[in-house]
Every structure is written in structure tokens, then in C-alpha cells.
């Protein structure tokens, strides 16, 4: 049993889920003039939705709630509160997932007040119905039990953060030296996902570069 419930999402999943999401929007009869990607998780799905619905207009808003993998901040903020004129346009606000829904609610409110489109509807790949404050107009998959989806666009930063959490916990129980193979083995026990050798190496190298780990003759130690 994993210590943190995590599920790996592949690039193929993302394309298929975005295709499915676009189909739902099309079937509803809603014809957006502009897609708004919620940065950062909504970028890839939003671009794919533009392709599947053949929409040219794509803008973005950065509403941030979770700054680290599986760790929520207290409240969401609009990071760059610039204004664009969307009057007379119907908008589709696209994100990867509605978890608490805080960041999308904030983005939608900001867009309605400041960008003034005639309508905004929300489309996401996944909706965690047990956690979310609202149900989006369009979603591809309903998730009933909370899990952290390891999307391909956060593979390195999630692996990095997951290692950090795992190593800090293991250190509390007296462990302070690992080989690379031990790091990977522990990671797979903790999270039950395999992100592949390149991501494991990149994450461990980043932890060394950032001064969290030190390496000597193939052994890694926490640098506290
Ligand atoms: P929220 O405001 O709680 O709905 O989440 C804001 C953003 O955090 C989402 O758009 C995702 O990019 C990321 N996020 C939140 N929960 C998850 C999750 N369970 N799995 C993967 N990413 C998540």
C-alpha cells in the first residue's frame, strides 16, 4: 500500500482525455470563441482542446493554489492580474483537474469581473467529486477517491518533491545514507509509481544541486 496515493498519467492519456473533453463541449452545443488556459496545469489540455475544437484564440491566467506536489497552500491567488478585453466573447476556462476547486473559482470570478466575456464555462480533464466545492460544466473523468495525479508536465517537480518528503521521513527513523538504487526502491514503495530512470536521476541530481543531498562515491546523504 502506497504511503501517498498517486497515479501516473501518460502523454497518451492526456491526449485521449482532452479529446473526450472536447467531444463533451461540442456535444453540448456551446461554441467558445476563446479558450483560457489556467496556468500551469491547464496549458497542455487547453492547447489540445483548441486543436480538437479548432479554436484559434488562446489566452492564459495563472491562478495558483498548490505550489508543491500533494501539498495545498492556504488560499489561491491570481499571480499576474493583467487585464484583456473579452467582451462579446464566449470563453472556455480549461484546467487539468478540479480538486478543491479554489483556483478555478478564483480565476472565473476574476475573468468575469475584469475580462468581461459574455459567458465562461469550465472544462477539466478530471473532477474530484468528493473534494471539490463545485461541479464543472465539463469534465472527462469523475474521481471519487482523492489521489495525486502525476501528470507528465510535472513529472520532474513532483518526483523532486516526493523524494524530499520521503527522505525527510526516513531520516526521522535514523536512516541517512542511500545508494541511487535504494532511493528508487524506496520511492516506488512510497508512491507505487515508476517515473523512469531519467526522471529519477534528474530529480536526485537536482536535490544534490540544491544542497538537499550530498553525493560521495555513489552514496547519497542528507545535507542538513
Ligand atoms: P485546486 O485549486 O485545489 O482545485 O487545484 C489547483 C491545481 O493544483 C490543479 O489545477 C492542479 O494543477 C493541481 N492539483 C490539485 N490537486 C491535484 C491532484 N489531486 N492531482 C494532481 N494535481 C493536482
Amino acid at each position: 500500500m502506497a504511503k501517498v496515493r498517486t497515479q501516473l498519467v501518460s502523454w497518451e492519456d492526456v491526449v485521449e482525455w482532452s479529446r473526450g473533453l472536447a467531444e463533451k463541449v461540442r456535444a453540448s452545443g456551446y461554441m467558445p470563441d476563446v479558450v483560457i488556459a489556467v496556468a500551469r496545469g491547464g496549458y497542455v489540455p487547453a492547447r489540445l482542446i483548441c486543436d480538437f475544437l479548432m479554436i484559434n484564440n488562446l489566452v492564459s491566467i495563472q491562478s495558483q493554489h498548490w505550489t508543491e506536489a500533494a501539498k495545498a497552500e492556504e488560499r489561491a491567488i491570481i499571480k499576474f492580474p493583467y487585464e484583456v478585453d473579452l467582451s462579446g466573447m464566449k470563453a472556455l476556462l480549461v484546467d487539468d483537474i478540479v480538486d478543491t476547486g479554489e483556483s478555478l473559482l478564483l480565476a472565473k470570478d476574476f475573468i468575469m469581473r475584469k475580462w468581461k466575456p459574455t459567458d465562461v464555462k469550465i472544462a477539466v480533464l478530471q473532477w474530484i467529486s468528493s473534494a471539490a466545492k463545485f461541479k464543472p460544466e465539463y469534465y472527462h473523468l469523475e474521481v471519487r477517491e482523492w489521489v495525486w495525479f502525476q501528470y507528465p508536465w510535472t513529472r520532474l517537480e513532483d518526483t523532486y518533491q516526493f523524494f524530499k518528503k520521503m527522505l525527510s521521513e526516513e531520516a526521522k527513523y535514523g536512516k541517512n545514507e542511500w545508494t541511487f538504487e535504494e532511493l528508487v526502491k524506496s520511492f516506488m514503495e512510497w508512491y507505487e509509481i515508476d517515473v523512469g530512470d531519467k526522471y529519477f536521476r534528474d530529480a536526485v541530481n537536482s536535490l544534490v544541486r540544491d544542497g538537499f543531498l550530498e553525493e560521495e562515491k555513489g552514496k547519497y546523504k542528507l545535507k542538513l
Side-chain angles (χ1 to χ4, degrees):
M1 178 73 178
K3 295 196 178 152
V4 179
R5 285 174 51 83
T6 311
Q7 194 179 313
L8 198 72
V9 178
S10 69
W11 284 111
E12 288 75 19
D13 292 333
V14 171
V15 176
E16 281 321 302
W17 297 355
S18 301
R19 188 193 302 275
L21 183 59
E23 269 315 310
K24 286 190 179 162
V25 176
R26 191 199 314 280
S28 76
Y30 187 62
M31 289 199 277
D33 304 293
V34 58
V35 168
I36 307 172
V38 181
R40 295 172 298 160
Y43 263 60
V44 176
R47 181 63 188 90
L48 289 167
I49 297 281
C50 284
D51 193 30
F52 290 126
L53 294 180
M54 301 218 178
I55 296 171
N56 266 321
N57 299 325
L58 173 61
V59 293
S60 168
I61 187 163
Q62 185 158 9
S63 176
Q64 206 171 2
H65 188 207
W66 303 69
T67 46
E68 278 181 24
K71 185 163 173 261
E73 294 296 310
E74 294 243 308
R75 61 190 187 92
I77 52 155
I78 301 292
K79 213 164 173 196
F80 304 99
Y82 52 81
E83 293 182 28
V84 290
D85 181 10
L86 296 186
S87 50
M89 297 178 105
K90 283 190 292 215
L92 189 69
L93 185 58
V94 176
D95 208 350
D96 47 5
I97 190 165
V98 179
D99 187 326
T100 64
E102 293 279 357
S103 44
L104 268 166
L105 284 178
L106 180 73
K108 182 172 175 180
D109 173 68
F110 181 87
I111 290 163
M112 291 300 282
R113 282 187 296 111
K114 306 279 187 175
W115 296 6
K116 298 187 171 61
T118 47
D119 199 359
V120 181
K121 292 195 193 298
I122 294 177
V124 294
L125 300 181
Q126 292 169 295
W127 166 50
I128 308 189
S129 52
S130 53
K133 293 198 167 127
F134 71 95
K135 182 177 179 180
E137 282 89 1
Y138 308 105
Y139 57 90
H140 180 66
L141 295 170
E142 176 179 354
V143 177
R144 293 204 168 80
E145 269 182 58
W146 191 91
V147 48
W148 183 262
F149 291 96
Q150 206 305 285
Y151 297 116
W153 48 81
T154 51
R155 195 140 292 156
L156 181 57
E157 63 183 56
D158 283 0
T159 305
Y160 177 99
Q161 296 295 354
F162 282 167
F163 264 134
K164 252 187 159 173
K165 183 179 163 72
M166 174 192 106
L167 292 169
S168 307
E169 287 298 316
E170 291 198 347
K172 284 188 198 157
Y173 295 97
K175 182 145 176 80
N176 69 353
E177 199 178 82
W178 300 261
T179 61
F180 179 75
E181 290 67 29
E182 284 169 344
L183 288 173
V184 170
K185 187 167 171 276
S186 276
F187 185 100
M188 301 230 243
E189 283 163 11
W190 265 69
Y191 303 103
E192 290 183 350
I193 54 168
D194 183 355
V195 298
D197 189 63
K198 284 186 183 149
Y199 278 103
F200 282 130
R201 286 202 185 272
D202 285 351
V204 170
N205 289 340
S206 297
L207 288 166
V208 172
R209 255 195 318 270
D210 294 349
F212 188 80
L213 282 178
E214 58 187 351
E215 194 254 321
E216 215 191 302
K217 296 185 188 131
K219 299 268 190 192
Y220 293 87
K221 278 190 186 163
L222 280 188
K223 206 170 151 187
L224 296 173

mmCIF file of all heavy atoms in Angstrom, residues 50-93:
data_model
loop_
_atom_site.group_PDB
_atom_site.id
_atom_site.type_symbol
_atom_site.label_atom_id
_atom_site.label_comp_id
_atom_site.label_asym_id
_atom_site.label_seq_id
_atom_site.Cartn_x
_atom_site.Cartn_y
_atom_site.Cartn_z
ATOM 1 N N CYS A 50 -7.993 23.382 -28.050
ATOM 2 C CA CYS A 50 -8.002 24.300 -29.205
ATOM 3 C C CYS A 50 -7.897 23.502 -30.498
ATOM 4 O O CYS A 50 -8.572 23.805 -31.482
ATOM 5 C CB CYS A 50 -6.817 25.276 -29.140
ATOM 6 S SG CYS A 50 -7.026 26.589 -27.968
ATOM 7 N N ASP A 51 -7.046 22.506 -30.485
ATOM 8 C CA ASP A 51 -6.873 21.697 -31.690
ATOM 9 C C ASP A 51 -8.147 20.896 -31.981
ATOM 10 O O ASP A 51 -8.670 20.937 -33.092
ATOM 11 C CB ASP A 51 -5.670 20.758 -31.481
ATOM 12 C CG ASP A 51 -5.213 20.115 -32.777
ATOM 13 O OD1 ASP A 51 -5.374 20.744 -33.838
ATOM 14 O OD2 ASP A 51 -4.696 18.987 -32.740
ATOM 15 N N PHE A 52 -8.652 20.200 -30.968
ATOM 16 C CA PHE A 52 -9.823 19.340 -31.202
ATOM 17 C C PHE A 52 -11.083 20.138 -31.554
ATOM 18 O O PHE A 52 -11.954 19.636 -32.259
ATOM 19 C CB PHE A 52 -10.078 18.424 -30.000
ATOM 20 C CG PHE A 52 -9.024 17.353 -29.841
ATOM 21 C CD1 PHE A 52 -8.345 17.187 -28.639
ATOM 22 C CD2 PHE A 52 -8.702 16.514 -30.900
ATOM 23 C CE1 PHE A 52 -7.375 16.201 -28.494
ATOM 24 C CE2 PHE A 52 -7.728 15.527 -30.769
ATOM 25 C CZ PHE A 52 -7.059 15.376 -29.560
ATOM 26 N N LEU A 53 -11.184 21.371 -31.039
ATOM 27 C CA LEU A 53 -12.376 22.180 -31.350
ATOM 28 C C LEU A 53 -12.078 23.226 -32.432
ATOM 29 O O LEU A 53 -12.948 24.021 -32.779
ATOM 30 C CB LEU A 53 -12.907 22.869 -30.095
ATOM 31 C CG LEU A 53 -13.478 21.966 -28.990
ATOM 32 C CD1 LEU A 53 -13.954 22.803 -27.807
ATOM 33 C CD2 LEU A 53 -14.622 21.102 -29.506
ATOM 34 N N MET A 54 -10.841 23.205 -32.918
ATOM 35 C CA MET A 54 -10.399 24.159 -33.952
ATOM 36 C C MET A 54 -10.667 25.597 -33.544
ATOM 37 O O MET A 54 -11.350 26.356 -34.249
ATOM 38 C CB MET A 54 -11.054 23.823 -35.288
ATOM 39 C CG MET A 54 -10.709 22.420 -35.710
ATOM 40 S SD MET A 54 -10.458 22.340 -37.457
ATOM 41 C CE MET A 54 -10.008 20.635 -37.660
ATOM 42 N N ILE A 55 -10.128 25.952 -32.385
ATOM 43 C CA ILE A 55 -10.262 27.321 -31.868
ATOM 44 C C ILE A 55 -8.887 27.991 -31.933
ATOM 45 O O ILE A 55 -7.884 27.400 -31.518
ATOM 46 C CB ILE A 55 -10.788 27.291 -30.409
ATOM 47 C CG1 ILE A 55 -12.201 26.706 -30.379
ATOM 48 C CG2 ILE A 55 -10.747 28.674 -29.777
ATOM 49 C CD1 ILE A 55 -12.732 26.435 -28.991
ATOM 50 N N ASN A 56 -8.860 29.216 -32.463
ATOM 51 C CA ASN A 56 -7.600 29.935 -32.619
ATOM 52 C C ASN A 56 -7.197 30.775 -31.416
ATOM 53 O O ASN A 56 -6.028 31.065 -31.223
ATOM 54 C CB ASN A 56 -7.722 30.911 -33.792
ATOM 55 C CG ASN A 56 -7.219 30.280 -35.057
ATOM 56 O OD1 ASN A 56 -6.221 29.558 -35.030
ATOM 57 N ND2 ASN A 56 -7.916 30.514 -36.150
ATOM 58 N N ASN A 57 -8.197 31.231 -30.677
ATOM 59 C CA ASN A 57 -7.916 32.184 -29.604
ATOM 60 C C ASN A 57 -7.612 31.474 -28.294
ATOM 61 O O ASN A 57 -8.451 30.776 -27.740
ATOM 62 C CB ASN A 57 -9.121 33.112 -29.408
ATOM 63 C CG ASN A 57 -9.420 33.902 -30.654
ATOM 64 O OD1 ASN A 57 -8.498 34.281 -31.389
ATOM 65 N ND2 ASN A 57 -10.693 34.143 -30.924
ATOM 66 N N LEU A 58 -6.390 31.698 -27.807
ATOM 67 C CA LEU A 58 -5.955 31.048 -26.558
ATOM 68 C C LEU A 58 -5.240 32.077 -25.693
ATOM 69 O O LEU A 58 -4.252 32.675 -26.124
ATOM 70 C CB LEU A 58 -5.020 29.875 -26.892
ATOM 71 C CG LEU A 58 -4.331 29.168 -25.734
ATOM 72 C CD1 LEU A 58 -5.332 28.547 -24.770
ATOM 73 C CD2 LEU A 58 -3.397 28.077 -26.268
ATOM 74 N N VAL A 59 -5.768 32.304 -24.510
ATOM 75 C CA VAL A 59 -5.079 33.183 -23.549
ATOM 76 C C VAL A 59 -4.908 32.405 -22.251
ATOM 77 O O VAL A 59 -5.358 31.270 -22.131
ATOM 78 C CB VAL A 59 -5.857 34.510 -23.287
ATOM 79 C CG1 VAL A 59 -5.884 35.383 -24.516
ATOM 80 C CG2 VAL A 59 -7.257 34.232 -22.779
ATOM 81 N N SER A 60 -4.259 33.044 -21.288
ATOM 82 C CA SER A 60 -3.945 32.304 -20.073
ATOM 83 C C SER A 60 -4.074 33.162 -18.818
ATOM 84 O O SER A 60 -3.941 34.385 -18.871
ATOM 85 C CB SER A 60 -2.515 31.787 -20.206
ATOM 86 O OG SER A 60 -2.070 31.303 -18.974
ATOM 87 N N ILE A 61 -4.327 32.476 -17.729
ATOM 88 C CA ILE A 61 -4.377 33.157 -16.425
ATOM 89 C C ILE A 61 -3.690 32.237 -15.421
ATOM 90 O O ILE A 61 -3.854 31.014 -15.482
ATOM 91 C CB ILE A 61 -5.842 33.446 -16.021
ATOM 92 C CG1 ILE A 61 -5.900 34.307 -14.753
ATOM 93 C CG2 ILE A 61 -6.659 32.169 -15.791
ATOM 94 C CD1 ILE A 61 -7.259 34.970 -14.544
ATOM 95 N N GLN A 62 -2.886 32.813 -14.536
ATOM 96 C CA GLN A 62 -2.222 31.952 -13.551
ATOM 97 C C GLN A 62 -2.866 32.114 -12.188
ATOM 98 O O GLN A 62 -2.703 33.120 -11.507
ATOM 99 C CB GLN A 62 -0.712 32.244 -13.463
ATOM 100 C CG GLN A 62 -0.014 31.255 -12.524
ATOM 101 C CD GLN A 62 1.466 31.111 -12.769
ATOM 102 O OE1 GLN A 62 2.052 31.865 -13.545
ATOM 103 N NE2 GLN A 62 2.096 30.162 -12.102
ATOM 104 N N SER A 63 -3.619 31.086 -11.850
ATOM 105 C CA SER A 63 -4.264 31.051 -10.539
ATOM 106 C C SER A 63 -3.610 29.912 -9.811
ATOM 107 O O SER A 63 -3.595 28.780 -10.273
ATOM 108 C CB SER A 63 -5.758 30.795 -10.754
ATOM 109 O OG SER A 63 -6.403 30.666 -9.524
ATOM 110 N N GLN A 64 -3.048 30.219 -8.668
ATOM 111 C CA GLN A 64 -2.185 29.231 -8.044
ATOM 112 C C GLN A 64 -2.680 28.861 -6.659
ATOM 113 O O GLN A 64 -2.977 29.724 -5.855
ATOM 114 C CB GLN A 64 -0.789 29.832 -7.918
ATOM 115 C CG GLN A 64 0.283 28.818 -7.887
ATOM 116 C CD GLN A 64 1.661 29.464 -7.982
ATOM 117 O OE1 GLN A 64 1.780 30.683 -8.038
ATOM 118 N NE2 GLN A 64 2.667 28.670 -7.992
ATOM 119 N N HIS A 65 -2.752 27.571 -6.427
ATOM 120 C CA HIS A 65 -3.208 27.110 -5.128
ATOM 121 C C HIS A 65 -2.221 26.121 -4.528
ATOM 122 O O HIS A 65 -1.793 26.246 -3.396
ATOM 123 C CB HIS A 65 -4.600 26.481 -5.280
ATOM 124 C CG HIS A 65 -5.251 26.139 -3.988
ATOM 125 N ND1 HIS A 65 -6.176 25.141 -3.860
ATOM 126 C CD2 HIS A 65 -5.114 26.674 -2.756
ATOM 127 C CE1 HIS A 65 -6.570 25.074 -2.606
ATOM 128 N NE2 HIS A 65 -5.948 25.994 -1.916
ATOM 129 N N TRP A 66 -1.853 25.129 -5.340
ATOM 130 C CA TRP A 66 -0.914 24.096 -4.883
ATOM 131 C C TRP A 66 0.445 24.438 -5.459
ATOM 132 O O TRP A 66 0.628 24.420 -6.663
ATOM 133 C CB TRP A 66 -1.322 22.706 -5.387
ATOM 134 C CG TRP A 66 -2.696 22.271 -5.000
ATOM 135 C CD1 TRP A 66 -3.866 22.799 -5.454
ATOM 136 C CD2 TRP A 66 -3.050 21.218 -4.107
ATOM 137 N NE1 TRP A 66 -4.912 22.120 -4.883
ATOM 138 C CE2 TRP A 66 -4.447 21.149 -4.064
ATOM 139 C CE3 TRP A 66 -2.303 20.306 -3.337
ATOM 140 C CZ2 TRP A 66 -5.133 20.221 -3.280
ATOM 141 C CZ3 TRP A 66 -2.990 19.384 -2.575
ATOM 142 C CH2 TRP A 66 -4.380 19.346 -2.539
ATOM 143 N N THR A 67 1.414 24.742 -4.577
ATOM 144 C CA THR A 67 2.726 25.082 -5.110
ATOM 145 C C THR A 67 3.669 23.886 -5.069
ATOM 146 O O THR A 67 4.675 23.853 -5.725
ATOM 147 C CB THR A 67 3.351 26.246 -4.328
ATOM 148 O OG1 THR A 67 3.198 25.990 -2.947
ATOM 149 C CG2 THR A 67 2.676 27.553 -4.681
ATOM 150 N N GLU A 68 3.326 22.890 -4.262
ATOM 151 C CA GLU A 68 4.150 21.679 -4.196
ATOM 152 C C GLU A 68 3.247 20.489 -4.389
ATOM 153 O O GLU A 68 2.075 20.546 -4.051
ATOM 154 C CB GLU A 68 4.778 21.533 -2.803
ATOM 155 C CG GLU A 68 6.017 22.331 -2.608
ATOM 156 C CD GLU A 68 6.597 22.113 -1.224
ATOM 157 O OE1 GLU A 68 6.331 21.062 -0.624
ATOM 158 O OE2 GLU A 68 7.287 23.011 -0.763
ATOM 159 N N ALA A 69 3.820 19.402 -4.884
ATOM 160 C CA ALA A 69 3.027 18.196 -5.119
ATOM 161 C C ALA A 69 2.331 17.743 -3.844
ATOM 162 O O ALA A 69 2.952 17.641 -2.789
ATOM 163 C CB ALA A 69 3.937 17.077 -5.623
ATOM 164 N N ALA A 70 1.028 17.492 -3.956
ATOM 165 C CA ALA A 70 0.229 16.945 -2.861
ATOM 166 C C ALA A 70 0.299 17.787 -1.587
ATOM 167 O O ALA A 70 0.222 17.280 -0.478
ATOM 168 C CB ALA A 70 0.620 15.499 -2.587
ATOM 169 N N LYS A 71 0.460 19.096 -1.730
ATOM 170 C CA LYS A 71 0.520 19.968 -0.562
ATOM 171 C C LYS A 71 -0.167 21.301 -0.914
ATOM 172 O O LYS A 71 0.366 22.093 -1.694
ATOM 173 C CB LYS A 71 1.987 20.203 -0.197
ATOM 174 C CG LYS A 71 2.205 20.998 1.065
ATOM 175 C CD LYS A 71 3.645 20.820 1.545
ATOM 176 C CE LYS A 71 3.947 21.725 2.700
ATOM 177 N NZ LYS A 71 4.655 22.935 2.329
ATOM 178 N N ALA A 72 -1.341 21.547 -0.371
ATOM 179 C CA ALA A 72 -2.100 22.742 -0.728
ATOM 180 C C ALA A 72 -1.676 23.951 0.095
ATOM 181 O O ALA A 72 -1.371 23.836 1.263
ATOM 182 C CB ALA A 72 -3.581 22.507 -0.509
ATOM 183 N N GLU A 73 -1.658 25.101 -0.584
ATOM 184 C CA GLU A 73 -1.452 26.353 0.147
ATOM 185 C C GLU A 73 -2.787 26.760 0.746
ATOM 186 O O GLU A 73 -3.832 26.235 0.387
ATOM 187 C CB GLU A 73 -0.978 27.441 -0.818
ATOM 188 C CG GLU A 73 0.396 27.186 -1.426
ATOM 189 C CD GLU A 73 1.509 27.168 -0.397
ATOM 190 O OE1 GLU A 73 1.590 28.104 0.403
ATOM 191 O OE2 GLU A 73 2.281 26.197 -0.386
ATOM 192 N N GLU A 74 -2.753 27.735 1.620
ATOM 193 C CA GLU A 74 -3.988 28.144 2.294
ATOM 194 C C GLU A 74 -5.031 28.709 1.340
ATOM 195 O O GLU A 74 -6.190 28.405 1.422
ATOM 196 C CB GLU A 74 -3.664 29.177 3.350
ATOM 197 C CG GLU A 74 -2.839 28.593 4.472
ATOM 198 C CD GLU A 74 -3.560 28.635 5.787
ATOM 199 O OE1 GLU A 74 -4.023 29.723 6.127
ATOM 200 O OE2 GLU A 74 -3.641 27.582 6.449
ATOM 201 N N ARG A 75 -4.579 29.580 0.428
ATOM 202 C CA ARG A 75 -5.573 30.155 -0.469
ATOM 203 C C ARG A 75 -4.963 30.395 -1.851
ATOM 204 O O ARG A 75 -3.747 30.467 -2.003
ATOM 205 C CB ARG A 75 -6.133 31.461 0.100
ATOM 206 C CG ARG A 75 -5.096 32.496 0.280
ATOM 207 C CD ARG A 75 -5.589 33.693 1.055
ATOM 208 N NE ARG A 75 -4.532 34.685 1.002
ATOM 209 C CZ ARG A 75 -4.429 35.623 0.096
ATOM 210 N NH1 ARG A 75 -5.343 35.751 -0.829
ATOM 211 N NH2 ARG A 75 -3.424 36.475 0.089
ATOM 212 N N ALA A 76 -5.853 30.519 -2.818
ATOM 213 C CA ALA A 76 -5.391 30.723 -4.194
ATOM 214 C C ALA A 76 -5.160 32.213 -4.450
ATOM 215 O O ALA A 76 -5.776 33.070 -3.826
ATOM 216 C CB ALA A 76 -6.445 30.172 -5.145
ATOM 217 N N ILE A 77 -4.251 32.503 -5.384
ATOM 218 C CA ILE A 77 -4.009 33.896 -5.799
ATOM 219 C C ILE A 77 -3.932 33.968 -7.325
ATOM 220 O O ILE A 77 -3.557 32.998 -7.978
ATOM 221 C CB ILE A 77 -2.683 34.468 -5.227
ATOM 222 C CG1 ILE A 77 -1.498 33.524 -5.542
ATOM 223 C CG2 ILE A 77 -2.763 34.716 -3.736
ATOM 224 C CD1 ILE A 77 -0.165 34.235 -5.570
ATOM 225 N N ILE A 78 -4.286 35.137 -7.892
ATOM 226 C CA ILE A 78 -4.041 35.383 -9.318
ATOM 227 C C ILE A 78 -2.649 35.992 -9.388
ATOM 228 O O ILE A 78 -2.414 37.072 -8.849
ATOM 229 C CB ILE A 78 -5.072 36.377 -9.921
ATOM 230 C CG1 ILE A 78 -6.505 35.850 -9.772
ATOM 231 C CG2 ILE A 78 -4.751 36.696 -11.387
ATOM 232 C CD1 ILE A 78 -6.841 34.636 -10.591
ATOM 233 N N LYS A 79 -1.745 35.279 -10.029
ATOM 234 C CA LYS A 79 -0.342 35.672 -9.931
ATOM 235 C C LYS A 79 -0.005 36.931 -10.731
ATOM 236 O O LYS A 79 0.734 37.784 -10.260
ATOM 237 C CB LYS A 79 0.541 34.518 -10.373
ATOM 238 C CG LYS A 79 1.831 34.510 -9.610
ATOM 239 C CD LYS A 79 2.548 33.217 -9.721
ATOM 240 C CE LYS A 79 3.921 33.322 -9.078
ATOM 241 N NZ LYS A 79 4.770 32.226 -9.491
ATOM 242 N N PHE A 80 -0.518 37.031 -11.940
ATOM 243 C CA PHE A 80 -0.286 38.229 -12.766
ATOM 244 C C PHE A 80 -1.652 38.797 -13.150
ATOM 245 O O PHE A 80 -2.222 38.373 -14.155
ATOM 246 C CB PHE A 80 0.516 37.872 -14.025
ATOM 247 C CG PHE A 80 1.828 37.203 -13.721
ATOM 248 C CD1 PHE A 80 1.959 35.819 -13.795
ATOM 249 C CD2 PHE A 80 2.932 37.953 -13.324
ATOM 250 C CE1 PHE A 80 3.162 35.191 -13.496
ATOM 251 C CE2 PHE A 80 4.136 37.338 -13.021
ATOM 252 C CZ PHE A 80 4.254 35.956 -13.102
ATOM 253 N N PRO A 81 -2.166 39.725 -12.373
ATOM 254 C CA PRO A 81 -3.561 40.164 -12.596
ATOM 255 C C PRO A 81 -3.711 41.168 -13.747
ATOM 256 O O PRO A 81 -4.278 42.226 -13.583
ATOM 257 C CB PRO A 81 -3.952 40.774 -11.250
ATOM 258 C CG PRO A 81 -2.674 41.152 -10.598
ATOM 259 C CD PRO A 81 -1.566 40.333 -11.176
ATOM 260 N N TYR A 82 -3.171 40.825 -14.925
ATOM 261 C CA TYR A 82 -3.335 41.704 -16.089
ATOM 262 C C TYR A 82 -4.764 41.581 -16.624
ATOM 263 O O TYR A 82 -5.500 40.656 -16.261
ATOM 264 C CB TYR A 82 -2.320 41.365 -17.199
ATOM 265 C CG TYR A 82 -2.271 39.916 -17.602
ATOM 266 C CD1 TYR A 82 -3.201 39.378 -18.480
ATOM 267 C CD2 TYR A 82 -1.268 39.076 -17.099
ATOM 268 C CE1 TYR A 82 -3.144 38.047 -18.853
ATOM 269 C CE2 TYR A 82 -1.216 37.735 -17.462
ATOM 270 C CZ TYR A 82 -2.151 37.219 -18.339
ATOM 271 O OH TYR A 82 -2.105 35.903 -18.694
ATOM 272 N N GLU A 83 -5.123 42.532 -17.474
ATOM 273 C CA GLU A 83 -6.493 42.512 -17.991
ATOM 274 C C GLU A 83 -6.502 42.434 -19.506
ATOM 275 O O GLU A 83 -5.690 43.075 -20.169
ATOM 276 C CB GLU A 83 -7.244 43.768 -17.514
ATOM 277 C CG GLU A 83 -7.438 43.729 -15.996
ATOM 278 C CD GLU A 83 -8.203 44.904 -15.438
ATOM 279 O OE1 GLU A 83 -9.030 45.484 -16.172
ATOM 280 O OE2 GLU A 83 -7.948 45.237 -14.266
ATOM 281 N N VAL A 84 -7.408 41.635 -20.047
ATOM 282 C CA VAL A 84 -7.622 41.592 -21.503
ATOM 283 C C VAL A 84 -9.109 41.766 -21.752
ATOM 284 O O VAL A 84 -9.928 41.418 -20.902
ATOM 285 C CB VAL A 84 -7.120 40.272 -22.144
ATOM 286 C CG1 VAL A 84 -5.618 40.175 -22.132
ATOM 287 C CG2 VAL A 84 -7.721 39.060 -21.472
ATOM 288 N N ASP A 85 -9.439 42.302 -22.915
ATOM 289 C CA ASP A 85 -10.847 42.591 -23.199
ATOM 290 C C ASP A 85 -11.485 41.410 -23.940
ATOM 291 O O ASP A 85 -11.175 41.161 -25.102
ATOM 292 C CB ASP A 85 -10.916 43.870 -24.047
ATOM 293 C CG ASP A 85 -12.358 44.247 -24.355
ATOM 294 O OD1 ASP A 85 -13.282 43.634 -23.764
ATOM 295 O OD2 ASP A 85 -12.561 45.151 -25.194
ATOM 296 N N LEU A 86 -12.361 40.696 -23.251
ATOM 297 C CA LEU A 86 -13.042 39.569 -23.897
ATOM 298 C C LEU A 86 -14.533 39.883 -24.093
ATOM 299 O O LEU A 86 -15.340 38.959 -24.243
ATOM 300 C CB LEU A 86 -12.899 38.296 -23.052
ATOM 301 C CG LEU A 86 -11.484 37.726 -22.841
ATOM 302 C CD1 LEU A 86 -11.564 36.390 -22.112
ATOM 303 C CD2 LEU A 86 -10.746 37.532 -24.159
ATOM 304 N N SER A 87 -14.870 41.171 -24.103
ATOM 305 C CA SER A 87 -16.293 41.489 -24.222
ATOM 306 C C SER A 87 -16.838 40.985 -25.564
ATOM 307 O O SER A 87 -16.152 41.016 -26.589
ATOM 308 C CB SER A 87 -16.538 42.993 -24.041
ATOM 309 O OG SER A 87 -15.667 43.711 -24.869
ATOM 310 N N GLY A 88 -18.039 40.450 -25.511
ATOM 311 C CA GLY A 88 -18.668 39.893 -26.711
ATOM 312 C C GLY A 88 -18.216 38.474 -27.028
ATOM 313 O O GLY A 88 -18.623 37.897 -28.035
ATOM 314 N N MET A 89 -17.362 37.892 -26.170
ATOM 315 C CA MET A 89 -16.850 36.541 -26.464
ATOM 316 C C MET A 89 -17.332 35.515 -25.439
ATOM 317 O O MET A 89 -17.511 35.832 -24.266
ATOM 318 C CB MET A 89 -15.321 36.552 -26.460
ATOM 319 C CG MET A 89 -14.716 37.432 -27.524
ATOM 320 S SD MET A 89 -12.911 37.429 -27.397
ATOM 321 C CE MET A 89 -12.491 36.407 -28.779
ATOM 322 N N LYS A 90 -17.503 34.285 -25.920
ATOM 323 C CA LYS A 90 -17.816 33.183 -25.014
ATOM 324 C C LYS A 90 -16.511 32.449 -24.724
ATOM 325 O O LYS A 90 -15.764 32.112 -25.653
ATOM 326 C CB LYS A 90 -18.824 32.229 -25.661
ATOM 327 C CG LYS A 90 -20.248 32.795 -25.633
ATOM 328 C CD LYS A 90 -21.249 31.766 -26.056
ATOM 329 C CE LYS A 90 -21.059 31.476 -27.482
ATOM 330 N NZ LYS A 90 -22.016 31.170 -28.413
ATOM 331 N N ALA A 91 -16.263 32.197 -23.437
ATOM 332 C CA ALA A 91 -14.967 31.631 -23.062
ATOM 333 C C ALA A 91 -15.103 30.217 -22.497
ATOM 334 O O ALA A 91 -16.126 29.860 -21.903
ATOM 335 C CB ALA A 91 -14.304 32.537 -22.023
ATOM 336 N N LEU A 92 -14.039 29.443 -22.708
ATOM 337 C CA LEU A 92 -13.940 28.122 -22.088
ATOM 338 C C LEU A 92 -12.683 28.127 -21.224
ATOM 339 O O LEU A 92 -11.570 28.305 -21.733
ATOM 340 C CB LEU A 92 -13.832 27.028 -23.169
ATOM 341 C CG LEU A 92 -13.937 25.595 -22.651
ATOM 342 C CD1 LEU A 92 -15.358 25.294 -22.150
ATOM 343 C CD2 LEU A 92 -13.564 24.595 -23.751
ATOM 344 N N LEU A 93 -12.878 27.980 -19.931
ATOM 345 C CA LEU A 93 -11.760 28.021 -18.987
ATOM 346 C C LEU A 93 -11.298 26.583 -18.750
ATOM 347 O O LEU A 93 -12.073 25.751 -18.270
ATOM 348 C CB LEU A 93 -12.279 28.664 -17.688
ATOM 349 C CG LEU A 93 -11.300 28.951 -16.570
ATOM 350 C CD1 LEU A 93 -10.177 29.873 -17.028
ATOM 351 C CD2 LEU A 93 -12.042 29.589 -15.382
#
